[in-house]
Amino acid sequence: MAGYSHSVGSVTYRFDDLKTLLARATPLRSGDELAGINARTAEERVAAQMALAQLPLCVFLNETVIPYEDDEVTRLIVDTHDAAAFAPIAHLTVGDFRNWLLSEQAGVATLSAIAPGLTPEMAAAVSKLMRIQDLIAVARKCRVVTRFRSTVGLPGRLSTRLQPNHPTDDPAGIAASIVDGLLLSSGDAVIGINPASDSATAVGHLLRLLEAIRLRYNIPTQSCVLAHVTTQLDALNQGAPVDLVFQSIGGTELTNRSFGIDLALLREARQAALELGRNPASRQVMYFETGQGSSLSAEAHHGVDQQTCEARAYAAARAFDPFLVNTVVGFIGPEYLYDGKQIVRAGLEDHFCGKLLGLPMGCDVCYTNHAEADEDDMDALLTLLAAAGVNYVMGVPGADDIMLNYQSTSFHDALYVRRLLGLKPAPEFEAWLETHPLPEMKEVIPLLTA
Amino acid sequence: MSSASSLRDFTSARVSLGCAGSSLPTGPLLDFRLAHARARDAVHTPLDIRSIRTELSESAAGLESIPVRSEVRNRTEYLRRPDRGRRLSAEDQATLAARAGDFEIVPVIADGLSAMAVHRHAAPVLGLAMRDWYASDFRVAPVIVAEGARVAIGDDIGAALGAKLSVVLIGERPGLSSPDSLGIYLTWQPRRGRSDAERNCISNVRPEGLSYEAAAALLVFLCRESLRRGLSGTGLKASLSQVTAAGSAARALP
């Protein structure tokens, strides 16, 4: 492979291979600078985007960014590629693909039909040419609906994950946050706890607490405790009520190894949850979280830019027909996404790429205190994502996660954006809110000791 | 919403905030903003090296200290380039190499992501630990005060001084309710390239979290065990429930 080049005026820019071209074409972000793979000048970046625009999509089927022999995520991408689904767009370049995505031709059904024919690198490539309005306009046309006890992703709906974390996993503390969230119409995607303690016993306790509250109030939602997948499996084998199995995943085999997982383990976990069959009517039992920068952080990026690595994580996710997937876009810190501008763009890229690849994308709209970002940036991203049709966002009391020490979106934030854009919660949850008495803490307390 | 007023009895989370329309009322809006402002100030407050060194030298033990810098030139670079914050500047490599000796412990006070935490808690906690180290006749190097530093700068420092064990007291990533949380990291045979799993961490040191006395007692225990058994990290962590290996911590090191 001789590489790629593009001339601008008298200067010819050369790019050694596909991953270098993708990295140079990526809009500025601190993680790619940290990795030393970003464009060296603003002009080089646009030259790379121009070269990328002229690249036929079928090149991505012949040149991998990480070798097939070295990486099981690459093997998954190549081995599961659907040539028939790809056929209608096989003649397009990346630039033409952008035009096509924005055209009337690319409707809801067509976009669903081509999704299995797209590789994550194609999705990442076209996103690099796009402005924010393109990322929003096309994502809004993608529809990915998933079902467990509630239905998430329907048009005109915005769901939330109620995230009632507590620094010591105190049951009453967690229950108080759940009650507060339910009173503010949060929790229709999932009630999901990040546990402070990663033990099967602790996970089992928390799952039984969630189950008691859900059954007592007949809430049409599902629960999850976001421990390591092996801990959840242990809890499941000990009889814990595991609705959804959670795991953080990345876009390279090495990243996943740094998380202590591989694809076989995820298959095993999905099988266990299906066999438990908490909702026999649903086969969507997985919940994945991702985020740009995880591969670089694990020194597992192979010189691939962080946004392309992220899109590859979605290719891993879609092999497991997940109920929920969300990017945790600002959690990782300013060395990967420096400021509000970078976080906002990354959140919209992730949502777009995930949806285009056929995933039920949500987003943890969030930031840390060492990033150049604040609640205004989160308001902007939340509003843009809701306009783009995001399936769900987080609901954290007052936006302040007292366990993970970062700021996400609040119950109030979801109410704001639902009201602003006329969005409703999942239909089952909406009906429940209208017909059932909301929980009171004094009634929940006995459940904690039951 | 009558029951909602009682939710705060059960958690320090921001529950029962009320509503203005469906949005946040002005009171809690500004409370949140104040907490964020404090956390931001903690991240960007420069390390006051002179007052830390004065505090150390005027302490009961009259501690000698040596100021050093990482390869980082300013705070913006510090946030963008964690790799440079992990490396000791070439000039200070030489300074410390000239002071190399047969040390068992080198204490390092580093700004990390919250100089505020270091200003408030580092000298008092270290003072308590020092009492025990001196009583045990450990050979302790001068205190190194490091600016623009990440946890791993203790590896370069320990290697340059020839110390068996580095103890890095560093400002943790500020949370909204904890802008001044101090972390303490131990590394046996510090040298460049040590992984996080080879360290032990004592975190959330501050009056509202782990007290000075409790933190110092843990530190002393871990140092003694580390020196006795010749290791640190996951191999050492099993012995004490409150101590975790840094590699298994839920979030990234400062």
Side-chain angles (χ1 to χ4, degrees), chain A residues 33 180 369 371-372 400 412, chain B residues 14 16 18 36 40 80 173-174:
Chain A
E33 292 180 293
D180 198 50
N369 290 316
E372 291 293 320
D400 173 10
H412 294 77
Chain B
R14 292 170 197 261
S16 302
H36 185 237
R40 296 289 294 156
R80 285 176 173 273
R173 196 179 87 186

Side-chain angles (χ1 to χ4, degrees), chain B residues 26-69:
Chain B
T26 305
L29 174 88
L30 292 176
D31 288 346
F32 180 96
R33 198 167 290 165
L34 177 64
H36 185 237
R38 285 177 171 158
R40 296 289 294 156
D41 285 345
V43 169
H44 290 280
T45 300
L47 187 65
D48 188 345
I49 296 167
R50 213 168 66 176
S51 72
I52 289 174
R53 296 191 65 204
T54 305
E55 195 179 352
L56 292 170
S57 68
E58 290 175 357
S59 67
L63 298 171
E64 185 199 353
S65 62
I66 304 172
V68 300
R69 291 195 56 89

Side-chain angles (χ1 to χ4, degrees), chain A residues 33-34 172-173 177 180 335 338 367 369-373 375 397-398 400 402 404-405 407 412 419 440-441 445, chain B residues 3 7 10 12-16 18 22-23 32-33 36 39-40 43-44 76 79-80 83 173-176 251:
Chain A
E33 292 180 293
L34 181 61
S177 289
D180 198 50
E335 61 267 46
Y338 185 67
Y367 63 109
N369 290 316
H370 60 320
E372 291 293 320
E375 65 265 50
D400 173 10
I402 57 172
L404 293 172
N405 276 319
Q407 287 89 255
H412 294 77
R419 180 180 281 196
E440 291 194 34
M441 196 62 196
I445 292 288
Chain B
S3 71
L7 294 180
F10 299 96
S12 57
R14 292 170 197 261
V15 293
S16 302
S22 55
S23 300
F32 180 96
R33 198 167 290 165
H36 185 237
R40 296 289 294 156
V43 169
H44 290 280
T76 303
L79 293 172
R80 285 176 173 273
D83 53 330
R173 196 179 87 186
L176 224 49
R251 56 196 169 96

Side-chain angles (χ1 to χ4, degrees), chain A residues 323-346:
Chain A
F323 177 66
L324 302 170
V325 179
N326 65 261
T327 170
V328 192
V329 70
F331 186 75
I332 192 162
E335 61 267 46
Y336 303 92
L337 294 168
Y338 185 67
D339 56 14
K341 182 177 171 67
Q342 294 186 8
I343 292 171
V344 166
R345 172 148 183 123

